[in-house]
Amino acid sequence: MATSSLAVRSALGVALAFLIASGAVRRRSLDASGGAAGFAVMALHLACGYRYGALLLAFFFTSSKVTKIGEDRKRRVEEDFKEGGQRNWIQVLANSAIATVLVIVLAIMTGGQDQCLDSNGSKVITGIIGAIIGHYCCCNGDTWSSEIGVLSDEQPRLVTTLKVVSKRGPTVTKISGMTILDNDAVNAVSVLLTSVITAYACIFFF
């Protein structure tokens, strides 16, 4: 039964991921490399469990919509503005790589069966589910805040020094103030930390 369910989810995941990824490339939400990475990530999420695919798709669709808000103004203030957002494979993986690993591990541990948040049943499984939820909450928060925040009349500040910086140029792209930690790297670190925190929170509360 589990093998049959996995096969059905995998087939559906490949078909749905292809449709969504190709559509995102046409709408310029993803570039070609982002479409390829998005296809692989979506197919894996859906194959491992519909609920994890739903989390990923909720993040992707809402963030794509938010990205398109105020495009005319963003075009004027963002040096690296791209029509529709056009995320590449690096940006796609920065927002999904950790969760993809976790959903694969979870599918292996559970045999592809749905599991609930229940520490009495398994603290490890509950923690992993919590980490996946936290992962996409963090990604949503990061994307929404940056896409909506750039429309604010207020000047941005570096998170490390609180120094006011321009909305244009590398002071925003390199949000840490250090070359080694660009926006994608800081996002990945934030996702990792949030995933760990929500994993422990779910174990404690559930």
Side-chain angles (χ1 to χ4, degrees):
M1 183 66 177
T3 303
S4 176
S5 298
L6 178 59
V8 171
R9 287 201 306 267
S10 297
L12 182 60
V14 168
L16 190 58
F18 177 78
L19 290 174
I20 295 173
S22 58
V25 172
R26 287 196 301 272
R27 293 190 303 273
R28 298 184 179 181
S29 295
L30 301 172
D31 66 12
S33 69
F39 165 76
V41 167
M42 279 186 273
L44 284 168
H45 273 65
L46 289 164
C48 291
Y50 294 131
R51 65 179 64 184
Y52 311 120
L55 274 175
L56 169 62
L57 293 176
F59 160 66
F60 174 70
F61 283 126
T62 57
S63 295
S64 295
K65 289 293 184 183
V66 170
T67 297
K68 295 180 184 298
I69 295 175
E71 280 194 331
D72 289 341
R73 187 169 180 181
K74 290 174 182 176
R75 189 181 288 108
R76 295 194 299 271
V77 300
E78 294 180 347
E79 273 189 351
D80 57 350
F81 173 82
K82 294 180 180 179
E83 199 74 37
Q86 296 186 52
R87 265 69 173 184
N88 59 31
W89 70 273
I90 296 176
Q91 292 166 306
V92 169
L93 293 183
N95 285 293
S96 63
I98 295 173
T100 302
V101 172
L102 291 176
V103 297
I104 292 172
V105 170
L106 195 59
I108 293 171
M109 290 181 64
T110 63
Q113 298 298 304
D114 280 338
Q115 298 287 327
C116 295
L117 293 168
D118 180 13
S119 294
N120 292 325
S122 173
K123 289 184 178 181
V124 175
I125 290 174
T126 297
I128 294 175
I129 295 173
I132 295 168
I133 294 170
H135 177 287
Y136 285 115
C137 286
C138 181
C139 291
N140 246 63
D142 172 76
T143 303
W144 287 33
S145 62
S146 59
E147 294 294 345
I148 296 175
V150 72
L151 301 175
S152 172
D153 292 329
E154 298 295 326
Q155 289 299 310
R157 295 175 181 268
L158 285 174
V159 296
T160 50
T161 64
L162 299 183
K163 179 182 177 181
V164 175
V165 294
S166 169
K167 288 186 178 181
R168 285 185 172 271
T171 49
V172 173
T173 302
K174 309 295 186 181
I175 60 175
S176 66
M178 297 178 284
T179 302
I180 193 172
L181 289 177
D182 64 6
N183 187 37
D184 295 324
V186 170
N187 185 50
V189 172
S190 300
V191 167
L192 178 60
L193 291 176
T194 305
S195 297
V196 171
I197 292 171
T198 52
Y200 278 102
C202 284
I203 291 172
F204 179 79
F205 287 109
F206 298 98

